[in-house]
């Protein structure tokens, strides 16, 4: 039989600080609900979800959210179908989506250093529009993201 310790567990000093942090959070004003999608994500990074995109379309076009959702869905379906058929899709002010062929190549399996053959395939490439590059402060010298 093992002997059980009768000692009380040590108190953590960080636990005493937790209520102070909660109080500091409570004093900060809550973010406004009607922020734009970019501001809601912190202005940098983050991700704009489909629901946020639908809300933006509804707000700017005067459509209902249901109609805006249908419009966004229809646009996405048209873009995906064009890419499936191998066509390029130009989105004015945003950029161009296109299909590019990749060549067969030899790769290395991570962890085992085993050589493997990677077959040829296709990938979707995106070339940013110059207007968007300029708006982001890009010089245009950097290669386009793929």
């Amino acid at each position: 039989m093992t002997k059980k310790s009768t000692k009380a567990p040590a108190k953590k000093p960080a636990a005493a600080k937790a209520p102070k942090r909660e109080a500091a959070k409570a004093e900060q004003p809550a973010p406004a609900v009607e922020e734009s999608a970019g501001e809601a994500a912190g202005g940098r990074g983050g991700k704009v979800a489909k629901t946020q995109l639908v809300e933006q379309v509804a707000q700017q076009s005067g459509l209902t959210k249901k109609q805006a959702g249908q419009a966004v869905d229809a646009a996405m379906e048209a873009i995906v179908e064009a890419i499936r058929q191998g066509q390029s899709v130009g989105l004015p002010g945003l950029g161009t989506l296109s299909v590019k062929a990749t060549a067969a190549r030899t790769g290395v399996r991570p962890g085992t250093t085993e050589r493997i053959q990677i077959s040829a395939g296709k990938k979707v490439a995106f070339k940013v529009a110059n207007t968007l590059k300029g708006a982001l402060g890009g010089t245009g010298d950097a290669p386009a993201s793929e």
Side-chain angles (χ1 to χ4, degrees):
M1 227 173 149
T2 60
K3 184 177 175 183
K4 291 186 178 179
S5 175
T6 58
K7 220 178 192 185
K11 291 184 181 178
K12 295 179 183 176
K17 293 181 182 178
K20 290 180 185 176
R21 279 189 247 145
E22 290 174 8
K25 286 181 183 176
E27 292 173 9
Q28 294 176 353
V33 176
E34 295 183 19
E35 290 181 336
S36 71
E39 292 171 349
R44 285 180 257 154
K47 180 179 175 181
V48 177
K50 180 182 171 187
T51 55
Q52 293 169 323
L53 187 61
V54 168
E55 287 174 10
Q56 290 285 324
V57 170
Q59 239 178 13
Q60 293 178 12
S61 66
L63 298 172
T64 64
K65 284 187 182 181
K66 184 175 181 180
Q67 291 170 331
Q70 291 171 340
V72 169
D73 286 341
M76 294 299 166
E77 287 176 23
I79 291 169
V80 169
E81 188 56 35
I83 291 172
R84 277 192 188 136
Q85 293 175 5
Q87 298 174 324
S88 292
V89 179
L91 303 170
L94 187 63
T96 304
L97 291 160
S98 59
V99 179
K100 293 197 177 188
T102 58
R105 62 195 186 279
T106 302
V108 179
R109 187 179 305 275
T112 63
T113 66
E114 173 189 353
R115 297 268 180 201
I116 58 171
Q117 187 63 30
I118 302 170
S119 59
K122 295 179 183 178
K123 67 178 182 178
V124 177
F126 180 72
K127 183 177 180 200
V128 181
N130 287 332
T131 54
L132 182 56
K133 276 186 196 176
L136 294 175
T139 60
D141 296 336
S145 62
E146 292 188 47

